[in-house]
């Protein structure tokens, strides 16, 4: 699985939205031709896999593709598909509907099998105890995550990989953190939200849904790299709606470009993904230096704003928090009442202290339940991004 999105295995990459294409070098002498239509939710690959979509079609969507005119084989595929779609006879309509239902039934059956496997895995872990996890070999973890990917629930595979990383890091809180993640997986078995299971929705489909127009301030940012794909997440605050949204961009080649100009206030139309704070960009009207952003007067008031976020998505791990007039006190940022939150000792904190010289400042960061990752500050109403 880890090799399919490696850029060196791909050639002839391109996109002419909503169509993506590329040639994948597999084990045979002839590269596989891979083509995806995001708008139609359709894919075509010349590999022998019986799965739909195959892993090459999924991997293609994770790449940062250049705009290009489609080659002949892509035009032939899209023309052939368009001709089939133009057939509006009752027989053709019924045939397409049966095909869609068959695909949906196959995935539902695979996902149900994956959830059953997750329940068995959780019982195995509970029977052996959390303390047994450090002794589990890497092959044990890899076998289960591969099974979850085959069952088309990649969200479960990612959650188990996160547990493996927590166990590998060890530390004084690892057992509590692992127990928290295992509890989340147990809840996942009961609720089974499609977004957390890893069921993706094409961005073009999201853009076709109603959007939200606001002046979005891109305050917080987090970049991650799993060795295959680099991801940048932005937490943006809406000045008129007062809500936070998350903008996500991926890239397999180089650093991904944020969805909105970071540290700027942008007039934009965004479209929310179903059941998520994530948004797709519909239209960007312009960006400028942001006006002052109001922050809660205390950490207690700021933490209280997280309740609706937790109720909507109890699996969420990072939350945007802000507080006015804080000072560094030991390893915590203390508010005016003297209450503090632990803060990560990183470059963001170093830059904040250098800019403020020890004076009180408004702080915004990402809270993971243990410590605040400082991302932006304001001194005398001037916003500065520090991470």
């Amino acid at each position: 699985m880890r090799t399919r999105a490696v850029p060196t295995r791909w050639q002839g990459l391109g996109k002419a939205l909503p169509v993506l294409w590329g040639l994948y070098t597999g084990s045979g002498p002839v590269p596989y031709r891979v083509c995806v239509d995001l708008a139609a939710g359709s894919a075509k690959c010349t590999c022998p896999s019986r799965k739909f979509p195959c892993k090459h079609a999924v991997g293609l969507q994770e790449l940062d593709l250049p705009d290009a005119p489609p080659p002949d084989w892509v035009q032939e595929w899209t023309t052939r598909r368009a001709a089939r779609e133009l057939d509006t006879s009752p027989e053709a309509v019924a045939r397409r509907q049966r095909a869609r239902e068959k695909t949906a039934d196959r995935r539902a059956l695979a996902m149900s099998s994956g959830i059953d496997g997750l329940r068995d895995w959780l019982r195995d872990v509970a029977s052996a105890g959390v303390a047994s996890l450090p002794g589990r070999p890497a092959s044990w973890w890899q076998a289960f995550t591969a099974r979850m990917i085959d069952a088309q629930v990649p969200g479960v595979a990612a959650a188990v990989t996160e547990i493996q990383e927590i166990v590998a890091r060890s530390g004084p809180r690892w057992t509590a953190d692992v127990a928290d993640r295992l509890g989340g997986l147990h809840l996942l078995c009961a609720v089974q939200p499609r977004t957390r299971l890893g069921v993706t929705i094409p961005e073009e489909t999201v853009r076709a849904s109603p959007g939200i127009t606001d002046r979005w301030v891109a305050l917080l940012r987090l970049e991650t790299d799993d060795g295959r794909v680099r991801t940048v997440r932005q937490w943006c605050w809406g000045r008129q709606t007062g809500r936070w949204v998350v903008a996500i961009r991926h890239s397999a080649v180089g650093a991904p470009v944020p969805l909105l100009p970071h540290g700027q206030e942008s007039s934009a139309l965004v479209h929310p993904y179903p059941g998520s704070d994530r948004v797709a960009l519909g239209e960007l009207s312009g960006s400028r230096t942001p006006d002052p952003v109001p922050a809660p007067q205390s950490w207690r008031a700021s933490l209280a704003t997280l309740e609706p976020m937790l109720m909507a998505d109890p699996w969420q791990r990072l939350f945007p928090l802000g507080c006015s007039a804080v000072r560094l006190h030991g390893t915590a940022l203390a508010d005016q009442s003297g209450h503090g939150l632990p803060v990560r000792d990183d470059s963001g904190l170093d830059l904040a202290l250098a800019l403020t010289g020890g004076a009180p400042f408004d702080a915004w960061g990402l809270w993971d339940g243990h410590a605040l990752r400082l991302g932006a500050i304001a001194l005398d109403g001037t916003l500065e991004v520090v991470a």
Side-chain angles (χ1 to χ4, degrees), residues 165-347:
E165 292 171 350
I166 293 173
V167 173
R169 288 197 302 267
S170 187
R173 288 192 304 258
W174 79 267
T175 53
D177 289 343
V178 167
D180 177 51
R181 299 312 196 269
L182 292 173
L185 286 175
H186 179 72
L187 178 62
L188 195 70
C189 289
V191 182
Q192 299 184 29
R194 293 176 65 83
T195 54
R196 285 296 173 181
L197 293 176
V199 178
T200 58
I201 302 174
E203 189 170 294
E204 295 302 316
T205 301
V206 176
R207 286 194 183 123
S209 64
I212 305 170
T213 300
D214 205 338
R215 290 160 55 196
W216 302 101
V217 184
L219 270 181
L220 304 172
R221 175 175 59 186
L222 179 64
E223 293 190 21
T224 57
D225 187 345
D226 66 1
R228 182 167 53 88
V229 176
R230 296 177 66 176
T231 302
V232 60
R233 290 174 171 84
Q234 289 178 297
W235 281 259
C236 308
W237 178 74
R239 189 170 296 280
Q240 297 168 2
T241 59
R243 66 177 288 181
W244 288 90
V245 298
V246 183
I248 304 176
R249 294 291 293 272
H250 304 283
S251 174
V253 183
V257 178
L259 195 70
L260 294 173
H262 199 66
Q264 297 289 299
E265 183 168 331
S266 302
S267 298
L269 171 68
V270 299
H271 301 270
Y273 281 71
S276 171
D277 290 333
R278 183 183 176 183
V279 296
L281 180 62
E283 182 179 350
L284 178 63
S285 302
S287 303
R288 60 181 177 82
T289 302
D291 293 331
V293 176
Q297 297 298 308
S298 67
W299 288 122
R300 184 185 299 272
S302 187
L303 288 167
T305 64
L306 303 186
E307 181 180 2
M309 298 185 195
L310 280 167
M311 291 180 64
D313 186 358
W315 298 274
Q316 192 168 342
R317 299 295 175 190
L318 289 174
F319 302 92
L321 281 184
C323 186
S324 62
V326 301
R327 288 179 181 269
L328 182 65
H329 183 72
T331 59
L333 287 178
D335 59 22
Q336 299 175 74
S337 66
H339 293 92
L341 285 186
V343 63
R344 289 171 58 104
D345 185 8
D346 57 15
S347 59

Side-chain angles (χ1 to χ4, degrees), residues 11-23:
Q11 55 183 307
L13 292 166
K15 67 178 179 182
L17 292 178
V19 180
L20 321 174
W21 63 87
L23 301 174

